[in-house]
Amino acid sequence: MLECIPMMPVKALIASQVRHLNLHEYQSKQLMAKHNVNVQRFVIAESIEQAENAAKGLKADEIVIKAQIHAGGRGKGEFSSGLKSGVHLTRDPAKVPELVKQMLGYKLKTKQTSEDGVIVNKVMIAEALDISKETYFAILMDRDSGGPVMVGSPDGGIDIEQVAATHPDHIFKSIVDIETGPTEKQTLDMAMKLGFQGKAVAEASDQMQNLYQLFLDVDATQVEINPFGLTPQNKVVCFDAKISFDDNAIFKHPELRAMRDTTEENPREVDAENCGLNYVGMDGNIGCLVNGAGLALATMDIIKLHGASPANFLDVGGGVTTKQVGQAFKILTDDKNVKTILVNIFGGIASCLTIAEGMVTALTEGPKIKVPIVVRLQGNQVEEGKECLRRSGLNITVRDDLDEAAILSAQLAAA
């Protein structure tokens, strides 16, 4: 590929074929609380009445109300109701229902959401705690170390990337023996490097040990606490958490799968997963239907080469069925940005004839597809597949050369 051509992010796309589990803040805190990690007292509310009862029941000096969505930047977000910020503080429990009324059922737009924002279905009503010291602490799987490492910094409450760029000497790393876990000496040393003093050193060390146990128990790849803080009462508290999981081990944790909130995911990606297809939505206007991840990536690159943009990554796999091909077409055409569909198949286990039959079934029995379809078939049963398409009488353009198919798709999408 020419250097001047913007290639697709290969690593990111291949990784995206595994559906990564995202948790809401309250779900992460529930997991931490079960592992004796100190978190704020909180209640989840899905209605104004529940929020009112929660605010009264907490009996806290100050209350924080936080919209629960997967995106970050909530504090600087804006609701479609006109309310500014997805995080609010109040000392008056009577004000909680009015704030929640402007959150639930409305879309919250932040720097990490789409332009439309995300509908808020839950809010967390929590005890607000003062923070006298903010630090950063994380446990993660590190490829270079071949196992888990603890990472800490006395500069918490801000992005760790910013600390790494401005004060790399403020970041401390400690490699953990995966057979024994972190020793008491390691966590005590980390606590002191983060600036904890007196009795707080031992408590911070204990919290780190508990967080490592959580890391193991849920097969996490990362547990990040920011801020890992200290209250004026000298209590160590994990104020916010990001937990990432090893998706290859998620089958062992049905309780974690039950926490998945698909309402915040791309519905086409959810549908594709349910159909056994690998789909990742993008911003282009040429829908791609390809068998094989490598061929799918190459197809996306050649579309970019000819000045157009793919609307998706879609790998139907090597054992695709006629039914799945029909489902794939439905997913592609549900994307209103798609102006042309490019089908690129190298027949192997899934022959060109199987793909062709699935296309004919989908296009004759399903909803009418109004966008042009360009097909390139090569490999097992290629002639039979082409004949199947010809006999169908459908408005499908067949090209033997991938370059020609990509150029035509780009022209049709721009028309």
Side-chain angles (χ1 to χ4, degrees), residues 261-287:
D261 184 358
T262 57
T263 63
E264 291 201 32
E265 299 179 32
N266 184 324
R268 292 187 296 277
E269 293 183 6
V270 175
D271 288 344
E273 181 183 2
N274 292 336
C275 296
L277 304 170
N278 293 316
Y279 173 93
V280 180
M282 297 183 140
D283 297 328
N285 59 4
I286 298 180

Side-chain angles (χ1 to χ4, degrees), residues 6 30 56 76 102 114 160 168 179 219 258 382:
Q30 286 173 339
K56 293 177 181 177
K76 295 182 180 180
Q102 299 174 75
S114 66
I160 194 63
E179 296 289 339
D219 286 298
V382 60

Side-chain angles (χ1 to χ4, degrees), residues 8-20 278 280 282 292-297 300 313 315:
M8 305 310 301
V10 176
K11 181 179 178 181
L13 281 174
I14 292 176
S16 294
Q17 293 185 63
V18 179
R19 305 302 171 192
H20 296 289
N278 293 316
V280 180
M282 297 183 140
L295 187 59
L297 291 169
M300 296 165 73
F313 167 95
D315 168 22

Side-chain angles (χ1 to χ4, degrees), residues 245-258:
F245 302 90
D246 180 353
D247 295 277
N248 293 312
I250 205 69
F251 71 94
K252 298 191 291 183
H253 303 283
E255 75 285 359
L256 295 180
R257 290 190 67 89

Side-chain angles (χ1 to χ4, degrees), residues 55-248:
K56 293 177 181 177
L58 279 175
K59 300 187 185 308
D61 292 335
E62 189 172 22
I63 296 168
V64 59
I65 305 104
K66 303 178 81 171
Q68 296 298 288
I69 62 172
H70 287 155
R74 291 171 293 173
K76 295 182 180 180
E78 182 176 351
F79 285 91
S80 55
S81 65
L83 181 68
K84 304 288 186 182
S85 182
V87 180
H88 286 267
L89 288 164
T90 180
R91 292 185 178 277
D92 184 0
K95 292 184 178 179
V96 171
E98 184 57 34
L99 287 167
V100 172
K101 184 179 180 181
Q102 299 174 75
M103 293 180 170
L104 288 176
Y106 290 98
K107 290 184 176 181
L108 176 60
K109 178 183 172 182
T110 79
K111 62 182 180 181
Q112 291 187 12
T113 67
S114 66
E115 282 297 313
D116 288 339
V118 178
I119 291 181
V120 174
N121 295 310
K122 294 182 177 71
V123 293
M124 184 173 74
I125 313 298
E127 171 190 31
L129 296 176
D130 291 330
I131 307 176
S132 59
K133 180 178 180 58
E134 292 182 311
T135 74
Y136 173 93
F137 178 72
I139 304 165
L140 53 95
M141 280 300 202
D142 180 54
R143 186 179 297 275
D144 291 338
S145 306
V149 298
M150 296 188 299
V151 178
S153 173
D155 301 338
I158 59 175
D159 290 339
I160 194 63
E161 291 83 1
Q162 182 179 335
V163 178
T166 57
H167 297 287
D169 56 315
H170 289 192
I171 296 180
F172 303 99
K173 177 179 174 180
S174 180
I175 298 173
V176 176
D177 185 334
I178 199 167
E179 296 289 339
T180 62
T183 64
E184 184 180 16
K185 182 180 182 303
Q186 277 183 290
T187 51
L188 285 171
D189 182 58
M190 179 64 76
M192 287 186 283
K193 285 180 178 177
L194 299 190
F196 290 100
Q197 297 178 349
K199 293 181 180 178
V201 172
E203 185 177 9
S205 173
D206 288 343
Q207 290 294 291
M208 292 174 186
Q209 293 284 347
N210 292 345
L211 285 166
Y212 184 79
Q213 192 59 50
L214 165 65
F215 177 82
L216 288 184
D217 289 349
V218 299
D219 286 298
T221 54
Q222 174 179 283
V223 174
E224 181 183 52
I225 311 299
N226 191 17
F228 184 63
L230 187 69
T231 69
Q233 293 74 34
N234 218 35
K235 182 177 182 180
V236 178
V237 177
C238 296
F239 285 93
D240 205 353
K242 179 180 180 181
I243 304 176
S244 301
F245 302 90
D246 180 353
D247 295 277
N248 293 312

